[in-house]
């Protein structure tokens, strides 16, 4: 789970007697403490109580080990986020508050785990990363809740893309800047800019007037359309097609 400072406590892999788990745990501690440069095969082998050839047999090379470690740390973070989303839905937490909390948690995670963020923000790694895919699904769930209350003025997919791209961009900019020169308001400013792109104005939410209100209503119906069991699959598909067209043209 994330700590108050945003760092992620390294969750011990199941079966501490398992050699692979011990190696990943040891490497994860080194990665968090000193970045990828601190992760050496000799150091990890010593910390895990194994011989260096064991690392090569299990992971191929250092890059393979780092891939496994990044997945492990990210999977821990994603699991924590998924629990938060589930709890927010169960407690009927305002979807916009939940989305903001997710944004802040992700920024804190990236700043506290720069090595993991840099590895998992690599497009080639993201394309094949189960943890990155699960992380996007958590964001999709948050955006879907916003759509259900009629506050999205764009499609859910576009909203997810915008929030994700903005988050990666902010973290990349902050991590490229010396800590003492970082703008502490950059993340909040970017978030507000994204909200201006994806949300209907608050005063029009639920009001049957204006393109923003119409678009928000269409997106809200689109969000629940797949669950309208009183319609046939073909009818639901046609409804979704109509709504997508309306959202695109409004």
């Amino acid at each position: 789970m994330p700590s108050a400072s945003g760092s992620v406590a390294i969750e011990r892999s199941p079966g501490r007697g398992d050699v692979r788990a011990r190696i990943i745990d040891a490497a994860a501690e080194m990665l968090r403490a000193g970045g990828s440069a601190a992760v050496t095969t000799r150091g990890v082998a010593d910390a895990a109580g194994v011989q260096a050839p064991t690392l090569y047999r299990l992971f191929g090379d250092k890059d393979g080990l780092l891939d496994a470690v990044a997945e492990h740390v990210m999977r821990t973070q994603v699991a924590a986020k998924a629990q938060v989303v589930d709890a927010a839905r169960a407690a009927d937490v305002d979807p916009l508050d939940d989305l903001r909390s997710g944004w802040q948690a992700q920024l804190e995670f990236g700043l506290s785990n720069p090595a993991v963020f840099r590895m998992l923000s690599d497009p080639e790694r993201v394309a094949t990363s189960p943890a990155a895919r699960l992380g996007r699904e958590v964001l999709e769930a948050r955006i879907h809740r916003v759509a259900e209350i009629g506050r999205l003025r764009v499609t859910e997919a576009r909203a997810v893309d915008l929030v994700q791209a903005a988050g990666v961009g902010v973290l990349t900019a902050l991590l490229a800047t010396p800590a003492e020169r970082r703008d502490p308001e950059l993340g909040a400013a970017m978030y507000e800019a994204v909200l201006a792109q994806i949300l209907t104005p608050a005063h029009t939410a639920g009001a049957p007037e204006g393109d923003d209100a119409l678009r928000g209503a269409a997106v809200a119906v689109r969000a629940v359309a797949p669950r309208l069991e009183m319609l046939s699959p073909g009818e639901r598909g046609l409804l979704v097609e109509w709504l997508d067209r309306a959202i695109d043209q409004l």
Side-chain angles (χ1 to χ4, degrees):
M1 290 286 290
S3 69
S5 65
S7 63
V8 173
I10 300 301
E11 180 179 287
R12 295 300 177 183
S13 304
R16 290 293 294 137
D18 180 78
V19 173
R20 190 176 192 278
R22 293 208 314 274
I23 293 171
I24 289 177
D25 289 339
E29 294 288 356
M30 292 179 180
L31 182 67
R32 184 177 60 177
S36 58
V39 182
T40 65
T41 53
R42 179 180 293 276
V44 172
D46 289 345
V50 300
Q51 298 296 315
T54 302
L55 273 68
Y56 296 112
R57 176 173 57 82
L58 292 174
F59 303 99
D61 53 20
K62 178 180 173 179
D63 285 341
L65 173 59
L66 288 174
D67 282 340
V69 171
E71 280 293 312
H72 173 62
V73 177
M74 187 63 179
R75 188 168 57 248
T76 301
Q77 165 74 354
V78 169
K81 290 196 296 183
Q83 291 176 354
V84 170
V85 173
D86 290 342
R89 181 179 288 278
D92 201 25
V93 173
D94 185 286
L96 292 176
D97 291 340
D98 184 40
L99 183 62
R100 185 181 296 274
S101 295
W103 170 273
Q104 293 171 340
Q106 186 63 20
L107 290 188
E108 291 170 359
F109 171 79
L111 291 174
S112 299
N113 300 271
V116 173
F117 166 76
R118 290 188 179 101
M119 284 190 287
L120 289 178
S121 61
D122 181 331
E124 292 186 2
R125 291 180 188 266
V126 169
T128 59
S129 166
R133 185 163 55 251
L134 289 174
R136 183 178 175 90
E137 290 174 2
V138 171
L139 176 57
E140 289 171 347
R142 282 191 160 110
I143 291 294
H144 184 70
R145 295 190 66 222
V146 177
E148 288 180 324
I149 63 171
R151 288 300 310 275
L152 278 190
R153 64 187 301 270
V154 298
T155 64
E156 292 181 48
R158 182 164 180 77
V160 169
D161 286 343
L162 286 169
V163 173
Q164 189 171 55
V168 171
V170 166
L171 279 169
T172 299
L174 289 174
L175 290 174
T177 305
E180 68 275 9
R181 290 173 47 202
R182 291 175 185 167
D183 178 357
E185 302 302 321
L186 183 62
M190 178 62 78
Y191 184 70
E192 293 302 324
V194 172
L195 290 187
Q197 290 293 314
I198 69 174
L199 295 185
T200 62
H203 69 275
T204 64
E209 55 186 44
D211 285 350
D212 276 336
L214 288 174
R215 189 181 294 109
V219 173
V221 176
R222 171 65 174 82
V224 300
R227 302 203 303 270
L228 299 178
E229 298 294 339
M230 71 289 297
L231 302 178
S232 70
E235 288 170 334
R236 291 197 296 271
L238 187 58
L239 177 60
V240 165
E241 181 182 341
W242 286 343
L243 288 168
D244 284 343
R245 189 186 311 163
I247 294 165
D248 184 57
Q249 295 183 10
L250 278 172

